[in-house]
Amino acid sequence: MSDDKAVTIIGGGLAGCEAAWKLGKAGIAVRLFEMRPSSMTPAHKTGLLAELVCSNSLKSDSLDNASGVLKAEMEALDSIVMKAARASRVPAGGALAVDRERFGGHITDSLESLEAVKIEREEIKSIPGGVVVVASGPLTSDALAEAISNLTGAGSLAFYDAIAPIVTAESVDMSVAFRASRYGKGGDDYINCPMDRREYEGFITALIEARRTPLREFEDPRYFEGCLPVETMAERGVDTLAHGPLKPVGLTDPRTGLRPHAVVQLRQDDAAGGLYNMVGFQTRLAWPEQERVFRMIPGLERAEFARLGSVHRNSYINSPKLLSADLSLRELPRVFFAGQITGVEGYLESAASGMMAGLGVIRRLQGKAPKLPPRTTVMGALMAYVTDRSIINFQPMNANFGVLEPLSERLRKKDRKERMARRALDEIKRFRDEIETD
């Protein structure tokens, strides 16, 4: 297929890469456009495809969690993101966390090795002709956002994600901090900075009073509940953080033999173990204030910050109003959308929607009717959610058991999750077999 007949994919993030992988492996010509590194975003640092800009964690790897079930589903469907994640994994207890550069490098190399995929380092400012997958992500450029708004006639919505700081491991005072597992799962993968009540309350006061970066065009931010800035959580009540990301579940301070009032946890961010990110500390505090306030945390008094936190825009369309079940525009079926711009929230959720858009394009080009996983799977339930016409006030959604089709029988919570996970994996394998033989 010549370039003028190739499928155009806009965006080399997780969703765009999954779509390109599906199409390229099927022998369908693809032009994958990624504007980095010639045109960078406020959050990205490299030109690697699928660069992770927020946390390096892909969440739980356990099947008692919907995120873990989603991972298993994606692996059953030959996900390039999951291949890269397994190849670049770093210790993180029960979570799947990755070395960012190895992860992005694995995906970049894999796509470059596909003969059918041509990677173009160029910013796309309008929707081209032919079959197109728009996977421009939460940091869609202003020009492309305007083109999408003009195309859909509905405009783009927006909320805001915040990035957590990263500290060097050698700068953490391990005479105060200690290693232990998070929530009692896995090995001693997390560095824990314990706080007594006095230290905690002083920290909360400073956090709330600290100067923040002016929002300017972000005067009316709408944060996703799963990624609230730490200072926003603190404003909800003095004990909000102590009962949330700073909850000292199953932890004992070796210095006192007692459970701390609160614990700030640091998770390994690179394969060498030299960098650790502050779990749950996404923030929009001004950078000098971050250094001042976060050094109040016991063990981080001399912390060296390899990266400070920041806020970035996250744009998404009103998918239930605009998209068909296969993620194509109802009014212009040659154009598909994938990733966070569709309103799925999270790394794996975005990648999964890229897989579904890629499969949708393949079936379209083969002249076959759309085929999607059932709502008994996490992937199918998420795609059904973002394309459900009955939704009026659409908000982003991440993987959770609540979106899956419920079981007919009433079970205890643990048994219910186990049954739903087993059902989902059975159904995704059945779906895989059906599309391979159809």
Side-chain angles (χ1 to χ4, degrees):
M1 184 182 288
S2 61
D3 280 355
D4 61 334
K5 292 184 178 179
V7 174
T8 299
I9 299 177
I10 304 174
L14 299 175
C17 289
E18 284 285 14
W21 179 252
K22 275 280 172 248
L23 291 162
K25 293 283 282 185
I28 296 172
V30 172
R31 298 182 72 191
L32 174 61
F33 286 88
E34 171 52 57
M35 67 182 187
R36 292 178 295 111
S38 59
S39 181
M40 298 295 287
T41 75
H44 289 88
K45 301 298 181 185
T46 76
L48 292 173
L49 298 177
E51 179 184 345
L52 303 182
V53 300
C54 193
S55 170
N56 72 320
S57 173
L58 303 182
K59 298 183 180 179
S60 174
D61 210 15
S62 171
L63 293 180
D64 64 3
N65 185 289
S67 182
V69 178
L70 177 58
K71 292 177 180 64
E73 292 178 6
M74 292 174 65
E75 288 184 297
L77 296 180
D78 190 37
S79 162
I80 183 58
V81 166
M82 287 305 302
K83 290 178 187 290
R86 298 299 182 197
S88 59
R89 185 170 192 166
V90 298
L96 175 58
V98 303
D99 179 292
R100 297 169 195 267
E101 290 199 9
R102 290 188 181 183
F103 175 80
H106 187 285
I107 291 177
T108 302
D109 291 345
S110 296
L111 287 174
E112 286 179 343
S113 71
L114 288 180
E115 185 176 347
V117 177
K118 183 178 181 181
I119 300 171
E120 308 268 7
R121 299 291 184 167
E122 177 185 340
E123 181 179 356
I124 297 296
K125 298 182 179 181
S126 60
I127 306 299
V131 178
V132 179
V133 178
V134 181
S136 49
L139 297 177
T140 298
S141 68
D142 291 341
L144 182 57
E146 183 177 356
I148 292 170
S149 181
N150 292 335
L151 179 69
T152 62
S156 293
L157 307 178
F159 65 99
Y160 300 89
D161 270 347
I163 297 173
I166 292 177
V167 301
T168 61
E170 63 183 6
S171 69
V172 180
D173 184 356
M174 295 305 295
S175 69
V176 176
F178 62 94
R179 287 188 172 274
S181 63
R182 184 163 173 81
Y183 301 127
K185 297 181 179 179
D188 295 343
D189 298 334
Y190 289 77
I191 294 176
N192 300 272
C193 300
M195 292 181 172
D196 59 27
R197 176 172 280 280
R198 179 186 59 81
E199 291 166 333
Y200 172 78
E201 290 182 350
F203 171 72
I204 293 299
T205 298
L207 185 61
I208 292 172
E209 294 177 351
R211 181 171 57 87
R212 303 172 193 190
T213 302
L215 292 177
R216 298 179 185 172
E217 70 267 29
F218 307 154
E219 281 97 359
D220 184 27
R222 285 174 286 172
Y223 299 113
F224 176 58
E225 282 292 319
C227 198
L228 287 171
V230 64
E231 62 274 9
T232 300
M233 287 187 280
E235 290 175 335
R236 294 184 171 184
V238 67
D239 288 323
T240 299
L241 288 173
H243 294 301
L246 274 61
K247 189 174 182 179
V249 179
L251 296 173
T252 300
D253 186 343
R255 298 174 303 166
T256 65
L258 302 173
R259 171 173 163 158
H261 180 73
V263 167
V264 174
Q265 294 201 298
L266 311 178
R267 181 179 58 232
Q268 186 174 331
D269 201 80
D270 66 331
L275 300 176
Y276 277 74
N277 65 57
M278 300 175 67
V279 178
F281 269 67
Q282 51 273 2
T283 182
R284 65 178 182 88
L285 294 187
W287 284 0
E289 291 289 81
Q290 291 183 43
E291 295 187 353
R292 177 182 68 84
V293 175
F294 296 157
R295 285 180 178 141
M296 294 176 65
I297 298 169
L300 298 186
E301 293 88 349
R302 294 179 176 82
E304 177 186 345
F305 291 91
R307 182 187 74 187
L308 289 165
S310 66
V311 162
H312 60 276
R313 187 184 68 195
N314 189 343
S315 301
Y316 62 96
I317 63 173
N318 189 354
S319 293
K321 180 180 179 181
L322 299 169
L323 301 183
S324 298
D326 65 352
L327 302 181
S328 64
L329 279 176
R330 294 191 187 107
E331 300 300 321
L332 191 62
R334 69 175 181 83
V335 177
F336 292 72
F337 281 80
Q340 284 190 245
I341 199 166
T342 67
V344 293
E345 170 59 30
Y347 289 150
L348 271 301
E349 292 86 342
S350 297
S353 76
M355 297 180 75
M356 291 298 97
L359 288 172
V361 170
I362 291 172
R363 294 188 69 82
R364 178 71 55 81
L365 294 177
Q366 293 175 341
K368 298 176 182 177
K371 192 171 187 62
L372 294 155
R375 291 194 61 173
T376 49
T377 65
V378 178
M379 294 179 76
L382 283 171
M383 297 308 102
Y385 173 81
V386 299
T387 58
D388 184 351
R389 295 191 189 207
S390 69
I391 296 176
I392 304 301
N393 298 312
F394 180 56
Q395 292 292 317
M397 179 62 68
N398 53 13
N400 65 87
F401 282 115
V403 297
L404 273 71
E405 186 176 302
L407 297 169
S408 57
E409 64 268 51
R410 295 179 63 87
L411 299 169
R412 291 183 306 170
K413 185 176 182 180
K414 181 180 179 180
D415 293 336
R416 177 173 58 84
K417 287 183 176 180
E418 181 181 339
R419 183 75 60 83
M420 294 179 84
R422 188 167 62 247
R423 181 184 66 176
L425 298 186
D426 287 343
E427 291 290 347
I428 204 69
K429 291 173 184 176
R430 185 176 295 112
F431 170 77
R432 177 195 61 198
D433 294 343
E434 287 176 354
I435 60 175
E436 287 178 352
T437 57
D438 184 7

